[in-house]
Amino acid sequence: KAKPGSTVRVELRAALSQSWGKANSGWVVVQCGHKASQRLTVTESKPDSGLFCCDYIVPNIQDEITFSYGYLCFKKTAKLTVS
C-alpha cells in the first residue's frame, strides 16, 4: 500500500546478465489502472548480482498499480494499492 507522491522501491531477481562483469539493465511493465502500460528501467545493483532495482514515484491516482516482468508461464506480477 502506498500514497500518491510517495517513492517505492521496485526490485526483481533475474538472470538478465548480458555482459558479465558489469551492471546490466532491463525493464518491467507498469500498468496504472486503465491507462496505457509503460516500461520502467531497472538496473542491476552491482555486476553479476542478478538483483535489478529502481525507485518509482507513485502517481496521483486512487487505483491499483501492477508491475510485471516476463511472458506466459514465466510472467511474475506484483500489485500495489494506492490510497
Side-chain angles (χ1 to χ4, degrees):
K1 204 170 193 183
K3 293 181 185 261
S6 64
T7 301
V8 295
R9 185 81 167 164
V10 177
E11 293 185 351
L12 70 101
R13 284 217 176 267
L16 294 175
S17 290
Q18 295 179 5
S19 299
W20 297 105
K22 74 175 206 176
N24 292 276
S25 62
W27 49 268
V28 295
V29 175
V30 180
Q31 179 75 46
C32 297
H34 299 291
K35 294 182 180 179
S37 62
Q38 60 184 4
R39 287 185 179 186
L40 182 63
T41 301
V42 290
T43 304
E44 201 168 15
S45 61
K46 63 182 180 180
D48 308 323
S49 68
L51 177 63
F52 292 79
C53 51
C54 71
D55 290 331
Y56 177 75
I57 298 173
V58 178
N60 190 15
I61 61 170
Q62 296 292 321
D63 207 337
E64 189 172 73
I65 300 174
T66 303
F67 299 88
S68 61
Y69 168 76
Y71 298 97
L72 303 171
C73 64
F74 299 107
K75 186 173 184 175
K76 301 293 182 189
T77 301
K79 295 182 186 261
L80 175 67
T81 303
V82 180
S83 60

